[in-house]
Coordinates of all heavy atoms in Angstrom, one line a residue:
M1 N 76.3 48.1 -76.2 CA 76.7 46.7 -76.6 C 75.6 46.0 -77.3 O 74.4 46.4 -77.2 CB 77.2 46.0 -75.4 CG 78.4 46.5 -74.8 SD 79.4 45.3 -73.9 CE 78.4 45.0 -72.5
H2 N 75.9 45.0 -78.0 CA 75.0 44.3 -78.8 C 74.3 43.1 -78.0 O 74.9 42.6 -77.1 CB 75.7 43.7 -80.1 CG 76.2 44.8 -81.0 ND1 77.4 45.3 -80.9 CD2 75.6 45.4 -82.0 CE1 77.6 46.2 -81.8 NE2 76.5 46.3 -82.5
R3 N 73.2 42.8 -78.4 CA 72.4 41.7 -77.7 C 73.1 40.4 -77.9 O 73.0 39.5 -77.0 CB 71.0 41.7 -78.3 CG 70.0 40.9 -77.6 CD 68.7 41.1 -78.2 NE 68.8 40.9 -79.6 CZ 67.8 41.1 -80.4 NH1 66.6 41.5 -80.0 NH2 67.9 40.9 -81.7
D4 N 73.7 40.1 -79.0 CA 74.3 38.8 -79.3 C 75.7 38.6 -78.8 O 76.4 37.7 -79.3 CB 74.3 38.5 -80.8 CG 72.8 38.5 -81.4 OD1 71.9 38.1 -80.6 OD2 72.7 38.8 -82.6
L5 N 76.2 39.4 -77.9 CA 77.6 39.3 -77.5 C 77.8 38.0 -76.7 O 76.9 37.4 -76.1 CB 78.0 40.5 -76.6 CG 77.4 40.7 -75.3 CD1 78.1 40.0 -74.2 CD2 77.4 42.2 -75.0
D6 N 79.0 37.5 -76.8 CA 79.4 36.3 -76.2 C 80.6 36.5 -75.3 O 81.6 37.1 -75.8 CB 79.8 35.3 -77.4 CG 80.3 34.0 -77.0 OD1 80.8 33.8 -75.8 OD2 80.2 33.1 -77.8
R7 N 80.6 36.2 -74.1 CA 81.7 36.4 -73.1 C 82.7 35.3 -73.0 O 83.5 35.3 -72.2 CB 81.1 36.7 -71.8 CG 80.2 38.0 -71.7 CD 81.0 39.1 -71.1 NE 80.1 40.2 -71.0 CZ 80.5 41.5 -71.2 NH1 81.8 41.7 -71.6 NH2 79.7 42.5 -71.1
S8 N 82.6 34.3 -73.9 CA 83.5 33.1 -73.8 C 84.9 33.4 -74.0 O 85.8 32.7 -73.6 CB 83.0 32.0 -74.8 OG 83.2 32.5 -76.1
L9 N 85.3 34.5 -74.7 CA 86.7 34.9 -74.9 C 87.1 36.1 -74.0 O 88.2 36.6 -74.1 CB 86.9 35.3 -76.3 CG 86.7 34.2 -77.3 CD1 86.9 34.7 -78.8 CD2 87.6 33.0 -77.1
T10 N 86.2 36.6 -73.1 CA 86.5 37.7 -72.3 C 87.7 37.4 -71.4 O 87.8 36.3 -70.8 CB 85.3 38.1 -71.4 OG1 84.2 38.5 -72.2 CG2 85.6 39.2 -70.4
G11 N 88.7 38.3 -71.4 CA 89.9 38.1 -70.6 C 91.0 37.5 -71.3 O 92.2 37.5 -70.8
K12 N 90.8 37.0 -72.5 CA 91.9 36.5 -73.4 C 92.8 37.6 -73.8 O 92.4 38.7 -74.1 CB 91.4 35.8 -74.6 CG 90.7 34.5 -74.3 CD 91.7 33.4 -74.2 CE 91.0 32.0 -74.1 NZ 92.0 31.0 -73.7
I13 N 94.1 37.3 -73.9 CA 95.1 38.3 -74.4 C 95.5 37.9 -75.8 O 95.8 36.8 -76.1 CB 96.3 38.3 -73.5 CG1 95.9 38.8 -72.1 CG2 97.4 39.3 -74.1 CD1 97.0 38.7 -71.0
G14 N 95.4 38.9 -76.7 CA 95.7 38.7 -78.1 C 96.8 39.6 -78.6 O 97.1 40.6 -77.9
R15 N 97.3 39.3 -79.8 CA 98.3 40.1 -80.4 C 97.7 40.7 -81.7 O 97.1 39.9 -82.5 CB 99.6 39.4 -80.7 CG 100.7 40.3 -81.3 CD 102.0 39.7 -81.2 NE 102.5 39.2 -80.0 CZ 103.0 39.9 -79.0 NH1 103.2 41.2 -79.2 NH2 103.4 39.3 -77.9
V16 N 97.8 42.0 -81.9 CA 97.2 42.6 -83.1 C 98.1 42.3 -84.3 O 99.3 42.5 -84.3 CB 97.1 44.2 -82.9 CG1 96.7 44.9 -84.1 CG2 96.3 44.5 -81.7
T17 N 97.4 41.8 -85.3 CA 98.1 41.4 -86.6 C 97.6 42.3 -87.7 O 98.2 42.1 -88.8 CB 98.0 39.9 -86.9 OG1 96.6 39.6 -86.9 CG2 98.7 39.1 -85.9
G18 N 96.6 43.1 -87.5 CA 96.1 44.0 -88.5 C 95.6 45.2 -87.7 O 94.7 45.0 -86.8
A19 N 96.1 46.4 -87.9 CA 95.8 47.5 -87.1 C 94.3 47.6 -86.7 O 93.4 47.5 -87.6 CB 96.3 48.8 -87.7
V20 N 94.0 47.9 -85.5 CA 92.6 48.0 -85.0 C 92.4 49.5 -84.7 O 93.2 50.2 -84.1 CB 92.4 47.2 -83.7 CG1 91.0 47.5 -83.1 CG2 92.7 45.8 -83.9
G21 N 91.3 50.0 -85.2 CA 90.9 51.4 -85.0 C 89.5 51.7 -85.2 O 88.7 50.8 -85.7
P22 N 89.0 52.9 -85.0 CA 87.6 53.2 -85.1 C 87.1 53.1 -86.6 O 85.9 52.8 -86.8 CB 87.4 54.7 -84.6 CG 88.8 55.2 -84.7 CD 89.8 54.1 -84.5
A23 N 87.9 53.4 -87.5 CA 87.4 53.3 -88.9 C 87.9 52.1 -89.7 O 87.8 52.0 -90.9 CB 87.9 54.6 -89.7
T24 N 88.5 51.2 -88.9 CA 89.1 50.0 -89.6 C 88.6 48.7 -88.9 O 88.2 48.7 -87.7 CB 90.6 50.0 -89.5 OG1 91.0 49.9 -88.1 CG2 91.2 51.2 -90.2
L25 N 88.6 47.6 -89.6 CA 88.3 46.3 -89.1 C 89.6 45.6 -89.0 O 90.2 45.3 -90.0 CB 87.3 45.6 -90.0 CG 86.8 44.2 -89.4 CD1 86.1 44.4 -88.1 CD2 85.8 43.6 -90.4
G26 N 90.2 45.5 -87.8 CA 91.5 45.0 -87.6 C 91.5 43.5 -87.4 O 90.4 42.8 -87.6
E27 N 92.6 42.9 -87.0 CA 92.7 41.5 -86.8 C 93.6 41.2 -85.5 O 94.6 41.9 -85.3 CB 93.4 40.8 -88.0 CG 93.5 39.3 -87.8 CD 94.2 38.7 -89.0 OE1 95.4 38.8 -89.1 OE2 93.5 38.1 -89.8
V28 N 93.1 40.3 -84.7 CA 93.8 39.9 -83.5 C 94.0 38.3 -83.5 O 93.0 37.6 -83.9 CB 93.0 40.3 -82.3 CG1 93.6 39.7 -81.0 CG2 93.0 41.8 -82.2
M29 N 95.2 37.9 -83.2 CA 95.4 36.4 -83.0 C 95.3 36.1 -81.6 O 95.8 36.7 -80.7 CB 96.8 36.1 -83.5 CG 97.1 36.4 -85.0 SD 96.0 35.4 -86.1 CE 96.8 33.8 -86.0
L30 N 94.5 35.0 -81.3 CA 94.3 34.5 -80.0 C 94.6 33.0 -79.9 O 94.4 32.3 -80.8 CB 92.8 34.6 -79.6 CG 92.2 36.0 -79.5 CD1 90.7 36.0 -79.3 CD2 92.8 36.9 -78.5
E31 N 95.2 32.7 -78.7 CA 95.5 31.2 -78.5 C 94.2 30.6 -77.9 O 93.7 31.0 -76.9 CB 96.7 31.1 -77.5 CG 98.0 31.5 -78.1 CD 99.1 31.3 -77.1 OE1 99.0 30.6 -76.1 OE2 100.2 31.9 -77.4
I32 N 93.7 29.7 -78.7 CA 92.4 29.0 -78.3 C 92.6 27.5 -78.5 O 93.1 27.0 -79.5 CB 91.3 29.4 -79.3 CG1 91.2 30.9 -79.4 CG2 90.0 28.8 -78.9 CD1 90.6 31.6 -78.1
R33 N 92.3 26.8 -77.4 CA 92.4 25.3 -77.4 C 93.7 24.7 -78.0 O 93.6 23.9 -78.9 CB 91.2 24.7 -78.2 CG 89.8 25.0 -77.4 CD 88.7 24.4 -78.2 NE 88.4 25.1 -79.4 CZ 87.7 26.2 -79.6 NH1 87.1 26.8 -78.5 NH2 87.4 26.7 -80.8
G34 N 94.8 25.3 -77.6 CA 96.1 24.7 -78.0 C 96.5 25.2 -79.4 O 97.6 24.8 -79.9
G35 N 95.8 26.0 -80.1 CA 96.2 26.6 -81.4 C 96.0 28.1 -81.4 O 95.7 28.7 -80.4
T36 N 96.3 28.7 -82.5 CA 96.1 30.1 -82.7 C 95.1 30.4 -83.7 O 95.1 29.8 -84.8 CB 97.5 30.8 -83.1 OG1 98.5 30.4 -82.1 CG2 97.4 32.3 -83.1
T37 N 94.2 31.3 -83.4 CA 93.1 31.6 -84.4 C 93.0 33.1 -84.6 O 93.1 33.9 -83.6 CB 91.7 31.1 -83.8 OG1 91.8 29.7 -83.5 CG2 90.6 31.4 -84.7
A38 N 92.7 33.5 -85.8 CA 92.6 35.0 -86.1 C 91.1 35.4 -86.0 O 90.2 34.6 -86.4 CB 93.0 35.2 -87.6
Y39 N 90.9 36.5 -85.4 CA 89.6 37.1 -85.2 C 89.6 38.5 -85.7 O 90.6 39.2 -85.6 CB 89.2 37.2 -83.7 CG 88.9 35.8 -83.1 CD1 89.9 35.0 -82.6 CD2 87.5 35.4 -83.0 CE1 89.5 33.8 -82.1 CE2 87.2 34.2 -82.5 CZ 88.2 33.4 -82.0 OH 87.9 32.1 -81.5
L40 N 88.5 38.9 -86.4 CA 88.4 40.3 -86.7 C 88.3 41.1 -85.4 O 87.8 40.6 -84.4 CB 87.1 40.5 -87.6 CG 87.1 39.8 -88.9 CD1 85.7 39.9 -89.6 CD2 88.2 40.2 -89.8
A41 N 88.7 42.4 -85.4 CA 88.7 43.1 -84.2 C 88.3 44.6 -84.3 O 88.6 45.2 -85.3 CB 90.1 43.1 -83.6
R42 N 87.6 45.1 -83.3 CA 87.3 46.5 -83.2 C 87.6 47.0 -81.8 O 87.6 46.2 -80.9 CB 85.8 46.6 -83.5 CG 85.3 46.3 -84.9 CD 83.9 46.8 -85.1 NE 83.4 46.4 -86.4 CZ 83.7 47.1 -87.5 NH1 84.4 48.2 -87.5 NH2 83.2 46.7 -88.7
P43 N 87.8 48.3 -81.7 CA 88.1 48.8 -80.3 C 86.9 48.8 -79.5 O 85.8 49.2 -79.9 CB 88.6 50.3 -80.6 CG 88.1 50.6 -82.0 CD 87.9 49.3 -82.7
Y44 N 87.0 48.4 -78.3 CA 85.9 48.3 -77.3 C 85.2 49.7 -77.1 O 84.0 49.8 -77.0 CB 86.3 47.7 -76.0 CG 85.3 47.6 -74.9 CD1 84.2 46.7 -75.1 CD2 85.4 48.3 -73.8 CE1 83.3 46.6 -74.1 CE2 84.4 48.2 -72.8 CZ 83.4 47.3 -73.0 OH 82.4 47.2 -72.0
D45 N 86.1 50.7 -77.0 CA 85.5 52.1 -76.7 C 85.1 52.8 -78.0 O 84.6 53.9 -77.9 CB 86.5 52.9 -75.9 CG 87.8 53.2 -76.7 OD1 87.9 52.9 -77.9 OD2 88.7 53.7 -76.0
G46 N 85.4 52.2 -79.1 CA 85.0 52.8 -80.4 C 85.9 53.9 -80.9 O 85.7 54.4 -82.0
S47 N 87.0 54.2 -80.2 CA 87.8 55.3 -80.6 C 89.3 55.0 -80.5 O 90.1 55.7 -81.2 CB 87.5 56.6 -79.9 OG 87.8 56.4 -78.5
S48 N 89.7 54.0 -79.8 CA 91.2 53.7 -79.6 C 91.8 53.1 -80.8 O 91.1 52.5 -81.7 CB 91.4 52.8 -78.4 OG 91.0 53.4 -77.2
V49 N 93.1 53.2 -80.9 CA 93.8 52.7 -82.1 C 94.9 51.7 -81.5 O 95.6 52.1 -80.5 CB 94.5 53.8 -82.9 CG1 95.4 53.2 -84.0 CG2 93.4 54.7 -83.5
Y50 N 95.0 50.5 -82.0 CA 96.0 49.6 -81.6 C 96.8 49.1 -82.8 O 96.3 48.5 -83.7 CB 95.4 48.4 -80.9 CG 94.5 48.8 -79.8 CD1 93.1 48.7 -79.9 CD2 95.0 49.3 -78.6 CE1 92.3 49.1 -78.9 CE2 94.2 49.7 -77.5 CZ 92.8 49.6 -77.7 OH 92.0 50.0 -76.7
P51 N 98.2 49.4 -82.8 CA 99.0 49.1 -84.0 C 99.4 47.6 -84.0 O 99.2 46.9 -83.0 CB 100.2 50.0 -83.8 CG 100.3 50.1 -82.3 CD 98.9 50.2 -81.8
M52 N 99.9 47.2 -85.1 CA 100.3 45.8 -85.3 C 101.4 45.5 -84.2 O 102.2 46.3 -83.9 CB 100.9 45.5 -86.6 CG 99.8 45.5 -87.7 SD 100.5 45.2 -89.4 CE 101.4 43.7 -89.1
G53 N 101.3 44.3 -83.6 CA 102.2 43.9 -82.6 C 101.8 44.1 -81.2 O 102.4 43.5 -80.3
E54 N 100.9 45.1 -81.0 CA 100.4 45.4 -79.6 C 99.6 44.3 -79.0 O 98.8 43.6 -79.7 CB 99.6 46.7 -79.6 CG 99.3 47.2 -78.2 CD 98.9 48.6 -78.2 OE1 99.3 49.4 -79.1 OE2 98.2 49.0 -77.3
R55 N 99.8 44.0 -77.7 CA 98.9 43.0 -77.0 C 97.7 43.7 -76.5 O 97.8 44.9 -76.0 CB 99.8 42.4 -75.9 CG 100.9 41.5 -76.5 CD 101.9 41.0 -75.5 NE 101.2 40.1 -74.6 CZ 101.5 40.0 -73.3 NH1 102.3 40.8 -72.8 NH2 100.9 39.2 -72.6
V56 N 96.6 43.1 -76.6 CA 95.3 43.7 -76.2 C 94.5 42.7 -75.4 O 94.7 41.5 -75.5 CB 94.5 44.2 -77.4 CG1 95.1 45.4 -78.1 CG2 94.2 43.0 -78.4
L57 N 93.5 43.2 -74.7 CA 92.6 42.3 -73.9 C 91.2 42.3 -74.5 O 90.6 43.3 -74.9 CB 92.5 43.0 -72.5 CG 91.6 42.2 -71.5 CD1 92.3 40.9 -71.1 CD2 91.5 43.1 -70.2
V58 N 90.7 41.0 -74.7 CA 89.4 40.8 -75.3 C 88.3 41.1 -74.2 O 88.3 40.6 -73.1 CB 89.2 39.4 -75.8 CG1 87.8 39.2 -76.3 CG2 90.2 39.1 -76.9
M59 N 87.3 42.0 -74.6 CA 86.2 42.3 -73.8 C 85.0 41.4 -74.1 O 84.4 40.9 -73.2 CB 85.8 43.7 -73.9 CG 87.0 44.7 -73.6 SD 87.6 44.4 -71.9 CE 86.3 44.9 -70.9
Y60 N 84.7 41.1 -75.3 CA 83.7 40.2 -75.7 C 83.8 39.8 -77.2 O 84.5 40.5 -78.0 CB 82.3 40.7 -75.4 CG 81.8 41.9 -76.1 CD1 81.1 41.7 -77.3 CD2 82.0 43.2 -75.7 CE1 80.6 42.8 -78.0 CE2 81.5 44.3 -76.4 CZ 80.8 44.1 -77.6 OH 80.4 45.1 -78.3
L61 N 83.1 38.8 -77.5 CA 83.0 38.3 -78.9 C 81.6 38.6 -79.4 O 80.6 38.3 -78.8 CB 83.2 36.8 -78.9 CG 82.9 36.0 -80.2 CD1 83.9 36.4 -81.3 CD2 82.9 34.5 -80.0
E62 N 81.6 39.2 -80.6 CA 80.3 39.3 -81.3 C 80.3 38.3 -82.4 O 81.1 38.4 -83.4 CB 80.2 40.7 -81.9 CG 78.9 41.0 -82.6 CD 78.7 42.4 -83.1 OE1 79.6 42.8 -83.9 OE2 77.8 43.1 -82.6
P63 N 79.4 37.3 -82.3 CA 79.4 36.2 -83.3 C 79.2 36.7 -84.7 O 78.5 37.7 -84.9 CB 78.3 35.3 -82.8 CG 78.1 35.6 -81.4 CD 78.5 37.0 -81.2
P64 N 79.8 36.1 -85.7 CA 80.5 34.9 -85.6 C 82.0 35.0 -85.2 O 82.5 34.1 -84.7 CB 80.3 34.2 -86.9 CG 80.3 35.3 -87.9 CD 79.6 36.5 -87.1
Q65 N 82.7 36.1 -85.6 CA 84.1 36.1 -85.5 C 84.7 37.5 -85.2 O 85.8 37.7 -85.6 CB 84.7 35.5 -86.8 CG 86.1 35.0 -86.7 CD 86.3 33.6 -86.1 OE1 85.3 33.0 -85.7 NE2 87.5 33.2 -86.0
T66 N 84.0 38.4 -84.5 CA 84.6 39.7 -84.2 C 84.7 39.9 -82.7 O 83.8 39.7 -82.0 CB 83.6 40.8 -84.8 OG1 83.5 40.6 -86.2 CG2 84.2 42.2 -84.5
V67 N 85.9 40.3 -82.3 CA 86.2 40.6 -80.9 C 86.3 42.1 -80.7 O 86.8 42.8 -81.6 CB 87.4 39.8 -80.4 CG1 87.2 38.3 -80.3 CG2 88.7 40.2 -81.2
Y68 N 85.9 42.5 -79.5 CA 86.1 43.9 -79.1 C 87.2 43.9 -78.1 O 87.1 43.2 -77.1 CB 84.7 44.5 -78.6 CG 83.8 44.8 -79.8 CD1 83.1 43.7 -80.4 CD2 83.6 46.1 -80.2 CE1 82.3 44.0 -81.5 CE2 82.8 46.3 -81.3 CZ 82.1 45.3 -81.9 OH 81.3 45.6 -83.0
V69 N 88.2 44.8 -78.3 CA 89.4 44.7 -77.5 C 89.7 46.1 -76.9 O 89.2 47.1 -77.3 CB 90.6 44.3 -78.3 CG1 90.4 42.9 -78.8 CG2 90.9 45.2 -79.5
E70 N 90.4 46.1 -75.8 CA 90.9 47.3 -75.2 C 92.4 47.1 -74.8 O 92.9 46.0 -74.9 CB 90.1 47.7 -74.0 CG 90.2 46.8 -72.8 CD 89.4 47.4 -71.6 OE1 88.6 48.2 -71.7 OE2 89.7 47.0 -70.4
A71 N 93.0 48.2 -74.4 CA 94.4 48.2 -74.0 C 94.7 47.2 -72.9 O 93.8 47.1 -72.0 CB 94.9 49.6 -73.6
L72 N 95.8 46.5 -73.0 CA 96.1 45.6 -72.0 C 96.5 46.3 -70.7 O 97.3 47.3 -70.7 CB 97.3 44.7 -72.4 CG 97.7 43.5 -71.7 CD1 96.6 42.5 -71.7 CD2 99.0 42.9 -72.2
P73 N 95.8 46.0 -69.6 CA 96.2 46.7 -68.3 C 97.6 46.6 -68.0 O 98.3 45.6 -68.3 CB 95.3 46.0 -67.3 CG 94.2 45.4 -68.0 CD 94.8 45.0 -69.4
E74 N 98.2 47.6 -67.3 CA 99.6 47.6 -67.0 C 100.1 46.4 -66.2 O 101.1 45.9 -66.5 CB 99.9 48.9 -66.2 CG 101.4 49.1 -66.0 CD 101.7 50.4 -65.3 OE1 101.0 51.4 -65.5 OE2 102.8 50.4 -64.6
F75 N 99.3 45.9 -65.3 CA 99.7 44.8 -64.5 C 99.8 43.5 -65.3 O 100.4 42.5 -64.8 CB 98.8 44.6 -63.2 CG 97.4 44.0 -63.5 CD1 97.2 42.6 -63.5 CD2 96.4 44.8 -63.9 CE1 96.0 42.1 -63.7 CE2 95.1 44.3 -64.2 CZ 94.9 42.9 -64.1
L76 N 99.3 43.5 -66.5 CA 99.4 42.3 -67.4 C 100.4 42.5 -68.5 O 100.8 41.5 -69.1 CB 98.1 41.9 -68.0 CG 96.9 41.5 -67.1 CD1 95.6 41.3 -67.9 CD2 97.3 40.2 -66.4
Q77 N 101.0 43.6 -68.6 CA 101.9 43.9 -69.7 C 103.2 43.2 -69.7 O 103.7 42.9 -70.7 CB 102.1 45.4 -69.8 CG 100.9 46.1 -70.4 CD 101.1 47.6 -70.5 OE1 102.2 48.1 -70.4 NE2 100.1 48.4 -70.7
H78 N 103.7 42.8 -68.5 CA 105.0 42.2 -68.4 C 104.8 40.6 -68.6 O 105.8 40.0 -68.7 CB 105.7 42.5 -67.1 CG 104.9 42.1 -65.9 ND1 103.8 42.7 -65.5 CD2 105.2 41.0 -65.1 CE1 103.4 42.1 -64.4 NE2 104.2 41.0 -64.1
R79 N 103.6 40.1 -68.5 CA 103.4 38.7 -68.6 C 103.4 38.3 -70.1 O 102.9 39.0 -70.9 CB 102.1 38.3 -68.0 CG 102.0 38.6 -66.5 CD 100.7 38.4 -66.0 NE 100.5 36.9 -65.8 CZ 99.3 36.4 -65.4 NH1 98.3 37.1 -65.3 NH2 99.2 35.1 -65.3
Q80 N 104.0 37.2 -70.4 CA 104.0 36.7 -71.8 C 103.0 35.6 -71.9 O 102.8 34.6 -71.9 CB 105.4 36.2 -72.2 CG 106.4 37.4 -72.2 CD 106.1 38.3 -73.4 OE1 105.6 38.0 -74.4 NE2 106.5 39.5 -73.2

């Protein structure tokens, strides 16, 4: 992990709006302070792929605007 990581978004659930994968810089939309904001996204493990529309869990933010995400745990998948 990087030295400049920021945990302020850890635990947020986002929706993939641009495919996230090891060789791509994807995009995730997050609800922040009553609005929706787009963040660049990369897989937390460096190898997973998340298609458009999939819900993901934010692990950390790398300033200024890149989040690292992983698969949404099963116990959170049914929550909207």
Side-chain angles (χ1 to χ4, degrees):
M1 290 205 293
H2 297 88
R3 192 175 48 188
D4 296 333
L5 65 87
D6 178 338
R7 297 257 184 219
S8 64
L9 298 179
T10 298
K12 289 279 189 187
I13 296 172
R15 185 164 308 276
V16 176
T17 53
V20 176
T24 63
L25 186 58
E27 182 183 75
V28 172
M29 298 296 285
L30 299 173
E31 291 183 16
I32 307 291
R33 293 181 292 275
T36 305
T37 304
Y39 287 85
L40 299 175
R42 293 195 182 275
Y44 180 67
D45 65 8
S47 62
S48 293
V49 174
Y50 305 106
M52 286 179 58
E54 188 163 335
R55 293 171 66 218
V56 291
L57 183 67
V58 175
M59 299 307 292
Y60 69 90
L61 167 69
E62 183 177 61
Q65 199 79 3
T66 303
V67 292
Y68 284 75
V69 298
E70 70 175 17
L72 194 62
E74 187 175 330
F75 74 93
L76 293 176
Q77 288 181 10
H78 64 284
R79 299 174 75 188
Q80 292 290 335

